């Protein structure tokens, strides 16, 4: 199965923030603005290290919310482990 994602970068500040819209072919939703959700990653400096904050908004369906919540919880955990091993 071929999976495609589409979207637009909304905001980009190197080493600080990335925000973009996304629509995945998995959703089988029409390519209209209401079908896109927004992902925002922000790197927040702290005294004991940096924190990566992820905010996802504008869920077009409950199913997409559940999928993204499941996917990103696991992915952020793996990313955290990799960053800690690297640092």
């Amino acid at each position: 199965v071929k999976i495609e994602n589409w979207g637009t970068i909304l905001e980009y500040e190197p080493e600080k923030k990335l925000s973009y819209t996304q629509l995945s072919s998995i959703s089988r939703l029409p390519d209209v603005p209401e079908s896109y959700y927004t992902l925002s990653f922000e790197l927040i400096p702290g005294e004991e290290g940096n924190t990566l904050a992820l905010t996802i908004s504008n869920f077009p369906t409950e199913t997409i919310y559940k999928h993204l919540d499941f996917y990103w919880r696991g992915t952020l955990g793996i990313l955290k482990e990799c960053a800690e091993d690297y640092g």
Side-chain angles (χ1 to χ4, degrees), residues 2-66:
K2 183 178 179 182
I3 299 172
E4 294 182 296
N5 294 310
W6 305 275
T8 301
I9 296 173
L10 302 172
E11 186 175 0
Y12 174 66
E13 294 179 53
E15 299 181 24
K16 292 182 181 179
K17 187 171 186 178
L18 172 64
S19 179
Y20 60 93
T21 62
Q22 183 171 331
L23 171 64
S24 176
S25 62
I26 293 173
S27 72
R28 298 184 181 169
L29 294 173
D31 189 356
V32 296
E34 303 82 44
S35 298
Y36 285 74
Y37 48 89
T38 302
L39 294 103
S40 297
F41 297 87
E42 185 173 3
L43 194 57
I44 304 165
E47 291 182 22
E48 296 183 25
N50 296 324
T51 298
L52 177 62
L54 169 60
T55 303
I56 306 174
S57 58
N58 301 326
F59 302 101
T61 69
E62 181 72 18
T63 301
I64 289 174
Y65 166 79
K66 289 178 180 179

